[in-house]
Amino acid sequence: MSNVLVFFDVLGETLSFTQRELIAQAQSLGEVHIAIGAYQGDPTPALAISGVGEVYLAEASLPAPEVAVVDLLETAVAECGAEVILGSSTADVTDALARLAVRLDTGIICSIAALTGELLATKSELAGSYTTVSQLAPGLSRPLIATFRPNSLDPQRVDALLDAGDQPDGTVLPVRPSQGGVEVLHREALKVSARPALAEARVVVAGGRGVDGDFTPLEELADELGAGLGASRAATDAGWIEHAAQVGQTGVTVSPQLYISAGISGAVQQRSGMQTAGTIVAINKDEDAPVFEIADFGVVGDLHEVIPQMIEELRRRKG
Amino acid sequence: MVNAPLHIITLVKWVPDAQLERRYNAEARIDRSEGVLSELDEYPLEAALQLREAAADREVRVTALTMGPAGSSTAVKKALQIGADDGYQLTDDALIGADIWATSVALKAAVEAVAGAAEFESGEPEYLVLTGMASEEGESGAVPAQLAERLGAHVVTYATGLELEPERLIVTRSGGTESQKVAVRMPAVVSVTDQANDPRYPNFKAIMAAKKKPLTRFSLADLGLRAEEVTAKVRVLSTQARPARTAGEIITDEGDAGLKIVEFLAKERLL
Ligand SMILES: Cc1cc2nc3c(=O)[nH]c(=O)nc-3n(C[C@H](O)[C@H](O)[C@H](O)COP(=O)(O)OP(=O)(O)OC[C@H]3O[C@@H](n4cnc5c(N)ncnc54)[C@H](O)[C@@H]3O)c2cc1C
């Protein structure tokens, strides 16, 4: 069994599903240690999970884009002798782990879906059209650094894999925030929606230009289905919904059990972010829309009629 | 130094066209026999041109740099047509199969060579490297941070807005859970998203003018690098094409399509 270091760039009062998933992934590889960049107060109560060993912190919280997180990671790796270092495939985590790979003179594999005990990484490539298996070059006795795509494990499996345990101790390492270079002038928290986070949602309802400015029917449908709400770039560019909702090549990649696409043509950049969904349902006025080439169930029709009827029927069935 | 000349080096990649079918070859490498300038690299290029145009009292040069197979010179030529002042192409058989690690080793040497070769009339330049948010085929987005680490430069990723001030660059970016405005000093590496601007198209005049712009080609040896220094740390063992998605049942709404979708979802146990 190896020592595994898991990196959380930020930890709130409780672990997110993705963070729990990452710990579950790491547990299958060996003893789990955790390094945390930004936090408030004492972050250790949230980590009271059986099998979690050391928790490494810097002398002060290190919120992204603070570059000193790399010093924290480098020191933590030396402390625990990690042979595998894992994080989520988000921008800030990727930045930190990519720099760590330079410091440790080792390879990094991004956005993987699974990692075996032999450190073979499986991932989806070319917008979901290929699955590849990769590993560190043979003969390299170096740690492997990898980022995981969220939602690679079933939530029930994650729950089953994680048992409550004692609250771990935090180890403060001699790492301080950096000086100068990149100075943050202004931070503004993005609105958090009460709906499931897009990348983690098991069901996604997404709307495009066909929504024509009003997302209310899609919001209602999403709430009926407990779904995350997504959009095409045409809809986010028009300002009908925040950019964070964009699904696709330059937005969020989703892989839900069910993706409902409404008023979206299905351009390649949109498809590349959603075509690994389990089931795709499409509603579009244009029977030639490319989205119908990949839909499991397609309706040629007006979303303004179809969606309200869906909502009504879902409510009727719920009684 | 106030108003030192600025050398903006934009990285442009030649990638398989995402509109067409992309595939792996028998050596588990992406088929690169044909390509286009990555759409995602048009945004940093546009950002560079806008910075140059806005800097009235400052000498700014925009250089396009690519690393890739022989055909990748088309990406640089396109960048010259769009408006870059000069172009460089690093091409070498030893770079076939380069991973993130090897790519950033080679690009570091290339950026230093390009920055070192440039002469400016108004003094010693500072340099700024602009990149796309990710490559279109690898999509890792990890190269900018690695390159910055190797160059000893500052890094800001996922920029949605850039503004030049005398001694620093102001960048707006969307971090994971917040939007940020940061000031970064040179030398810096900044990755730019598709939210930053609307890239321009080359017109006929620009296409003609591009023919006169210099395009320099170099190899690893020209950069003082040996093949062993760019051996990939990560190997792809196998690749498997996923069965293409096929169309399922398509119906035309006859006033009951909403009901039919719900029936379908119930039948598939998705409710
Ligand atoms: C570099 C780059 C990156 C990109 N990244 C992304 C990305 O990440 N995500 C993304 O989505 N796009 C992305 N795009 C944009 C993409 O190419 C498309 O332009 C975009 O997805 C189109 O959005 P849309 O389908 O909503 O709009 P349109 O293409 O305008 O399609 C609207 C559709 O709605 C249908 N419609 C209209 N009214 C109704 C109605 N009442 N009922 C039912 N159907 C209706 C129409 O028939 C049409 O098919 C990117 C583009 C570039 C160049």
Side-chain angles (χ1 to χ4, degrees):
Chain A
M1 291 293 258
S2 325
N3 275 321
V4 185
L5 183 69
V6 173
F7 173 51
F8 293 150
D9 60 333
V10 44
L11 181 58
E13 271 170 34
T14 54
L15 291 169
S16 67
F17 169 71
T18 314
Q19 289 174 323
R20 287 169 56 78
E21 185 183 25
L22 211 50
I23 295 177
Q25 304 265 17
Q27 274 187 345
S28 68
L29 300 167
E31 177 159 351
V32 180
H33 308 289
I34 294 173
I36 301 169
Y39 56 91
Q40 275 179 341
D42 180 2
T44 55
L47 297 169
I49 292 169
S50 163
V52 169
E54 302 289 328
V55 175
Y56 299 108
L57 308 167
E59 288 176 15
S61 171
L62 303 173
E66 173 55 72
V67 295
V69 287
V70 190
D71 303 332
L72 172 71
L73 286 164
E74 200 182 4
T75 316
V77 169
E79 267 314 289
C80 67
E83 288 148 292
V84 184
I85 300 123
L86 301 180
S88 269
S89 59
T90 62
D92 291 335
V93 171
T94 303
D95 286 350
L97 293 183
R99 297 182 84 137
L100 180 69
V102 172
R103 300 257 182 111
L104 301 181
D105 199 23
T106 190
I108 176 168
I109 310 181
C110 295
S111 268
I112 68 176
L115 190 60
T116 67
E118 291 76 46
L119 303 188
L120 296 177
T122 306
K123 60 181 284 195
S124 132
E125 296 272 11
L126 299 180
S129 55
Y130 278 83
T131 304
T132 64
V133 177
S134 46
Q135 65 171 174
L136 279 188
L140 275 187
S141 57
R142 294 199 170 87
L144 170 67
I145 302 180
T147 67
F148 264 95
R149 258 251 313 262
N151 222 0
S152 306
L153 285 185
D154 197 279
Q156 278 150 6
R157 259 200 82 207
V158 172
D159 286 340
L161 286 167
L162 298 185
D163 293 326
D166 295 336
Q167 182 180 330
D169 291 328
T171 305
V172 176
L173 298 173
V175 172
R176 301 221 174 112
S178 62
Q179 299 284 322
V182 178
E183 185 192 343
V184 180
L185 306 175
H186 181 72
R187 297 180 181 274
E188 197 174 300
L190 297 175
K191 269 203 330 253
V192 219
S193 142
R195 297 189 184 87
L198 207 46
E200 297 166 18
R202 310 302 282 178
V203 179
V204 171
V205 172
R209 200 193 305 276
V211 165
D212 204 13
D214 181 11
F215 262 77
T216 327
L218 273 87
E219 287 170 5
E220 277 180 44
L221 178 61
D223 291 340
E224 250 353 279
L225 293 165
L229 189 63
S232 74
R233 178 162 153 189
T236 57
D237 276 357
W240 301 338
I241 185 166
E242 69 277 3
H243 172 62
Q246 183 177 312
V247 172
Q249 185 194 17
T250 54
V252 185
T253 301
V254 299
S255 203
Q257 283 171 354
L258 171 64
Y259 187 87
I260 300 181
S261 157
I264 299 180
S265 56
V268 305
Q269 295 96 342
Q270 153 73 208
R271 284 158 63 159
S272 77
M274 49 65 87
Q275 63 191 0
T276 59
T279 301
I280 297 173
V281 171
I283 306 160
N284 196 304
K285 275 203 305 209
D286 173 10
E287 61 178 332
D288 295 323
V291 71
F292 287 128
E293 293 162 18
I294 59 168
D296 298 284
F297 192 80
V299 167
V300 181
D302 188 334
L303 70 93
H304 294 107
E305 284 156 27
V306 178
I307 290 189
Q309 192 179 56
M310 277 181 79
I311 295 168
E312 205 179 298
E313 174 64 6
L314 287 166
R315 288 188 180 146
R316 193 189 63 78
R317 286 185 180 228
K318 273 191 194 157
Chain B
M1 201 195 330
V2 176
N3 288 353
L6 182 67
H7 192 181
I8 307 179
I9 301 168
T10 54
L11 303 185
V12 292
K13 192 169 185 185
W14 192 63
V15 298
D17 191 342
Q19 305 281 348
L20 309 174
E21 196 200 328
R22 298 177 292 178
R23 54 184 170 274
Y24 280 86
N25 61 24
E27 287 81 50
R29 293 189 184 118
I30 291 171
D31 180 348
R32 294 180 186 281
S33 48
E34 280 173 74
V36 292
L37 167 65
S38 167
E39 273 190 343
L40 298 182
D41 292 342
E42 291 183 21
Y43 301 90
L45 184 59
E46 178 63 33
L49 300 177
Q50 289 185 10
L51 291 176
R52 186 181 67 190
E53 284 157 4
D57 52 356
R58 195 163 176 182
E59 191 184 353
V60 179
R61 177 178 314 165
V62 177
T63 295
L65 165 65
T66 197
M67 168 186 139
S72 66
S73 60
T74 15
V76 182
K77 284 180 191 149
K78 178 96 184 277
L80 294 174
Q81 292 174 353
I82 294 173
D85 298 307
D86 52 10
Y88 287 83
Q89 180 196 19
L90 169 59
T91 185
D92 198 303
D93 283 349
L95 288 167
I96 294 171
D99 64 348
I100 297 165
W101 186 93
T103 302
S104 63
V105 170
L107 284 175
K108 179 221 180 214
V111 165
E112 285 178 341
V114 168
E119 280 175 26
F120 285 77
E121 285 162 18
S122 54
E124 271 301 298
E126 296 178 322
Y127 77 83
L128 166 67
V129 178
L130 295 185
T131 78
M133 58 188 275
S135 68
E136 258 187 24
E137 73 292 44
E139 293 191 312
S140 68
V143 167
Q146 285 217 332
L147 180 60
E149 178 75 22
R150 292 192 197 281
L151 288 166
H154 305 299
V155 61
V156 180
T157 54
Y158 294 84
T160 55
L162 301 91
E163 208 183 315
L164 207 49
E165 288 189 352
E167 291 186 305
R168 54 187 201 171
L169 182 74
I170 307 297
V171 179
T172 356
R173 77 183 286 260
S174 44
T177 54
E178 52 185 33
S179 79
Q180 300 166 344
K181 194 169 221 177
V182 304
V184 58
R185 292 180 183 275
M186 311 302 166
V189 178
V190 176
S191 78
V192 179
T193 76
D194 63 332
Q195 299 291 299
N197 52 47
D198 291 313
R200 68 193 71 182
Y201 297 105
N203 56 30
F204 179 72
K205 214 174 119 208
I207 291 171
M208 293 317 285
K211 296 196 170 153
K212 298 203 187 73
K213 294 177 180 174
L215 196 170
T216 311
R217 197 169 193 194
F218 46 49
S219 66
L220 284 175
D222 296 330
L223 297 176
L225 280 175
R226 284 169 294 122
E228 307 88 85
E229 292 174 274
V230 291
T231 309
K233 298 265 189 244
V234 173
R235 297 275 165 84
V236 179
L237 300 180
S238 66
T239 66
Q240 194 176 14
R242 288 233 186 140
R245 268 200 113 95
T246 47
E249 187 185 353
I250 312 289
I251 62 163
T252 299
D253 185 18
E254 283 164 352
D256 59 354
L259 304 177
K260 291 218 165 117
I261 293 177
V262 177
E263 269 167 34
F264 170 80
L265 296 180
K267 185 182 87 194
E268 298 288 318
R269 304 183 169 275
L270 286 164
L271 289 183

